[in-house]
Amino acid sequence: MKTLKEVIEKAKIVSKKRVVVVGAEDNEALKAVSAAYDEGFVDPVLVGKKEIIEENLKELGREFDIIDAKTEEEAAEQGVRLVSSGAADIVMKGLIKTSKLLKAVLNKEWGLRTGSVLSHVAIIETEALDSLKIVTDGGMIIKPTLDQKVAIINNAVELAHSMGIETPKVALLAAVEVVNPDMPETMDAAIITQMNKRGQIKGCIVDGPLALDNALSEMAAKIKKIKSDVAGHADILVVPDIHAGNILGKSAIYLANGKIAGLVLGAKAPIVIVSRADTAESKLASLALAVLKAEK
């Protein structure tokens, strides 16, 4: 896939999914699910303060199912229970603190735990790239351990499969492409690469450490004499920490005039958490990604 529009088109041909907007008083979230409804790939269920939601829907000229909830905690529980019971497929964050939503997602009794860690994936599109790239994790885990990096890779690989990438190529990013004991990220990358070769990480090809230029540019990899199936062709870029992921994702937008969509993975259902700064197309693409993931 080269563009987020292709993601949206692909979502239209799978079965329609039910998305629960938690804290649906949020106008931006309402506009996003309304657009996705028009495209034909979601049915929204809105959870939150009913009077406010109804008022906002009137302005949009819409009528969707509403579940009244007086507090953020109540909205989070009702929304998550809908998904855990099988009555809905996707969770979307509206006007609610992310921490409160995720607390409900991780509830031991009625939440959406799977035993995996939750991680964030950002899908970026820029004119400079020949295909969409998955960047992870720039939104959830501050400084992942080796085990967490493996879980982050597994989450991203599952998403790549749902996008139609059969054997995604995974680049473990660092500042250099050689193992340096003074740079723990390079040590982790070498270990995880070996784990993949021995079948401990399946469904993908992993290589690292790789600097960003070697991961994305075949010419840069050739100049540095890097022999790798991943170098120059990476589908998934695994960053060493949340700062690198956040900066890489935002630089694609603000330095390269690119587009971005994102999801939180690792729960029983995909979680859409969009930023107010995201464009309408980005929000629509995030919902489309969630639909593809929920289809698998």
Side-chain angles (χ1 to χ4, degrees):
M1 284 189 180
K2 291 186 177 182
T3 66
L4 292 177
K5 273 190 179 167
E6 288 177 62
V7 173
I8 294 165
E9 291 303 313
K10 190 174 173 70
K12 291 181 188 178
I13 60 172
V14 302
S15 60
K16 191 184 282 191
K17 298 293 179 284
R18 218 160 182 226
V19 58
V20 179
V21 183
V22 178
E25 304 92 323
D26 181 32
N27 241 333
E28 294 301 313
L30 287 181
K31 286 176 187 172
V33 291
S34 187
Y37 176 80
D38 286 343
E39 293 288 354
F41 55 81
V42 305
D43 271 326
V45 183
L46 311 176
V47 184
K49 296 186 177 82
K50 191 172 184 179
E51 288 178 15
I52 299 171
I53 296 168
E54 283 177 337
E55 204 60 41
N56 290 343
L57 284 178
K58 271 183 200 171
E59 289 177 23
L60 293 174
R62 293 289 186 186
E63 283 186 16
F64 294 131
D65 291 342
I66 302 172
I67 296 172
D68 192 31
K70 303 299 183 195
T71 66
E72 287 188 358
E73 289 82 1
E74 191 185 337
E77 179 173 345
Q78 298 226 44
V80 169
R81 278 183 182 274
L82 273 175
V83 178
S84 62
S85 69
D89 310 290
I90 297 162
V91 180
M92 183 175 185
K93 176 185 177 288
L95 199 63
I96 181 174
K97 286 178 184 160
T98 302
S99 58
K100 285 188 180 175
L101 178 59
L102 294 180
K103 187 179 178 184
V105 166
L106 294 171
N107 182 281
K108 288 180 180 175
E109 290 174 46
W110 41 260
L112 303 171
R113 284 170 174 257
T114 61
S116 179
V117 300
L118 298 186
S119 60
H120 184 270
V121 293
I123 288 75
I124 58 174
E125 171 195 335
T126 75
E127 286 183 17
L129 299 171
D130 60 357
S131 63
L132 295 174
K133 305 298 176 189
I134 298 172
V135 176
T136 189
D137 173 353
M140 289 293 295
I141 303 170
I142 296 169
K143 184 79 176 167
T145 63
L146 189 141
D147 283 347
Q148 286 173 327
K149 285 175 184 174
V150 172
I152 285 167
I153 290 167
N154 287 333
N155 285 347
V157 167
E158 278 185 24
L159 180 67
H161 289 166
S162 73
M163 292 168 66
I165 306 169
E166 285 183 24
T167 310
K169 295 179 170 68
V170 181
L172 290 149
L173 298 184
V176 293
E177 59 284 333
V178 293
V179 176
N180 182 339
D182 291 329
M183 303 170 84
E185 296 80 7
T186 66
M187 305 280 281
D188 282 358
I191 293 166
I192 292 168
T193 299
Q194 194 63 24
M195 288 172 73
N196 173 247
K197 285 180 178 172
R198 293 188 175 184
Q200 288 173 265
I201 302 168
K202 302 181 190 302
C204 59
I205 302 168
V206 179
D207 197 16
L210 288 170
L212 183 64
D213 55 346
N214 306 318
L216 297 178
S217 165
E218 202 173 334
M219 186 185 294
K222 278 181 182 173
I223 289 167
K224 292 194 176 178
K225 296 184 170 59
I226 297 169
K227 291 179 181 176
S228 162
D229 291 330
V230 175
H233 305 284
D235 301 298
I236 299 171
L237 304 172
V238 180
V239 296
D241 59 34
I242 198 169
H243 309 293
N246 186 282
I247 292 165
L248 182 55
K250 285 178 180 169
S251 65
I253 301 169
Y254 295 103
L255 296 178
N257 199 28
K259 297 170 185 174
I260 194 165
L263 281 183
V264 172
L265 302 174
K268 286 178 186 172
I271 304 163
V272 181
I273 300 178
V274 294
S275 163
R276 288 185 172 276
D278 289 347
T279 63
E281 187 183 4
S282 288
K283 289 170 184 169
L284 189 60
S286 296
L287 279 162
L289 277 171
V291 166
L292 295 179
K293 180 67 178 68
E295 180 73 7
K296 278 288 173 181

